[in-house]
Amino acid sequence: MTKVLVMVFDGLQPAQVHDGLMPNLAAFAASGVTFANHHAVFPSVTRANATSMVTGLHPGGHGLSANTLLVPDFEPCQAIPALEPQLEQVKLRTGRVLLAPTLAEILSRHGQEYMSIGVGTSGNAYLHNPNAEVCGGGTIHPEFALPRSLHEEIIGRFGPWPDESRPNTPRMAHAVRILTEYILPERDPSVALIWSSEPDKSQHDSPVGSQLSNAAVSEADAQFGRILKWLSETGRAGETDVLVISDHGYSTIEQVVNVQELAREAGFPPGGEPGGVAIANNGGAVLFYSAPWERHTLERLAQWLMAQPWCGNITVGERAGDIPGALPAALVGNEGERAPDLTMSFRWGPDANDAGYAGMICSTGGASGRGQHGSMSSSEMHNILFASGPSFRKGLCVNVPSGNIDLAPTVLNLLGLPLDDGMEGRALEEALCSGPDPAGVEWSSDLHSTDCAVGDKVYRQQIKLSRVGNTVYVDEGASSLGPR
């Protein structure tokens, strides 16, 4: 039976994949399928996108809205970081971390196993299979493992994890060793996933295209080359479909904005107080929650945000109704039980940084000149997907829109398993040897716009979407604040 291996490069931009920086990935892409119109989900942050990859849903559907979020049924007035300790507490108190099954849970119903190993954040790793103790499979991370007993077993066999570094190559090399000496040959799962924290970790310290960024990309590519070599030498290449994906693209910070401090100064106290707002900072995006819920507070907050020069797109949840100038959160897949009341993407620009990589943005953290993501910028919403193996066509470039929400449906299709009910993503059949001609796949784009008077100016925003059947992808959002 064909097996599936997924390799994730955290924060890799399409423009970084070329022979000079990534010879192994560039050659891999040329030999298989390049998805040239691939999309992250919004917010373009890691944990929202990692969860979309393994559930086939936008954040509104799976309930993991961002890297920092408020979980109303866990703590109604305080945002938390989506890290392993906090997420485990959410599970213990509420009985569920996510609102939908993961790929690991779906595979377990069919007697198959999902194994993941990653050297990014603990939250990212945890979200791949939070119910491993029940459904089987496993997750391996430097700080913990699921099931819990697996952590000491791995350390006892392979030794302690190297310290985190920039680039984070020693940890990734250790993960590749565990993958090729334990996960693939011994566990032999139907689906294995390995997550490289680079170039994301280095690009948060130094911009895309910097010396550090280039070193991180190059060294991560070398580790990918080790995996490909192992598959070839063990005879597994001919029976393994390999998908290579990133969770989001990247921009460069031009200004840091302390939204929480400014909001408090503007008269919005913390959540839980009358007129209060809980605020969750996520780099290029900010999530806002009115707790207890107050429509008039959200209307006043939206008006205040629209008057700020750094404010980009604003989406609003359905319980707040129609707020002038805001677009429905459902448009971008952010409507749901645990969704924020308002979400703001920072305004962005297409200018290039000093290394020639497009995309400049404001951010809630970091520093000017460093890398960041989270917004609805085209530089962050467009990321990579390549595929090669016995099921995929050779030397094909597909311009039909695809997205991170399509990973789980495509993996299930490769294994001959039915898609889980409710998945919003689709199987990318046009890339398969047995699939339809990509030129015959119908798709469309549409633009959603609105505006609102703010003092003597007008706030305008628009969001561009692409659609393939019922599957929706966010291309980009844009806004302006100008004279009436």
Side-chain angles (χ1 to χ4, degrees), residues 78-134:
Q78 181 66 47
I80 62 170
L83 297 173
E84 181 266 333
Q86 289 82 3
L87 294 172
E88 179 72 2
Q89 289 302 308
V90 170
K91 183 172 74 171
L92 292 174
R93 188 180 303 177
T94 70
R96 56 182 185 168
V97 177
L98 302 175
L99 307 181
T102 63
L103 187 56
E105 294 170 77
I106 297 167
L107 290 175
S108 73
R109 299 173 193 162
H110 300 275
Q112 300 188 38
E113 187 175 70
Y114 175 92
M115 289 290 298
S116 67
I117 183 167
V119 297
T121 65
S122 65
N124 173 13
Y126 183 88
L127 290 161
H128 282 268
N129 190 1
N131 296 314
E133 302 277 1
V134 175

Side-chain angles (χ1 to χ4, degrees), residues 2 4-5 20 31 39 47 63 86-87 96 113 115 176 270 277 279 288 293 389 421 445 464:
T2 299
V4 178
L5 174 63
S31 71
H39 300 74
R47 277 149 270 178
Q86 289 82 3
L87 294 172
R96 56 182 185 168
E113 187 175 70
M115 289 290 298
V176 170
V277 177
I279 298 174
F288 301 90
W293 189 79
D421 290 343
S445 293
K464 181 183 177 185

Side-chain angles (χ1 to χ4, degrees), residues 68-82:
T68 303
L69 72 162
L70 187 146
V71 181
D73 46 332
F74 173 72
E75 170 53 71
C77 298
Q78 181 66 47
I80 62 170

Side-chain angles (χ1 to χ4, degrees), residues 42 313-315 326-329 331-332 343 345 376 445-450 459 461-466 472-479:
F42 175 75
N313 296 89
I314 297 177
T315 60
L327 287 169
L331 277 180
V332 295
T343 302
S345 166
M376 222 180 285
S445 293
D446 51 86
L447 202 62
H448 298 262
S449 304
T450 188
Y459 165 85
Q461 70 157 318
Q462 61 183 30
I463 295 177
K464 181 183 177 185
L465 306 175
S466 290
V472 177
Y473 309 97
V474 181
D475 290 314
E476 65 177 51
S479 73

Side-chain angles (χ1 to χ4, degrees), residues 240-260:
T240 304
D241 287 320
V242 181
L243 296 100
V244 181
I245 194 169
S246 65
D247 47 346
H248 51 75
Y250 245 87
S251 294
T252 301
I253 300 171
E254 61 180 355
Q255 180 187 358
V256 175
V257 180
N258 191 330
V259 175
Q260 181 160 299

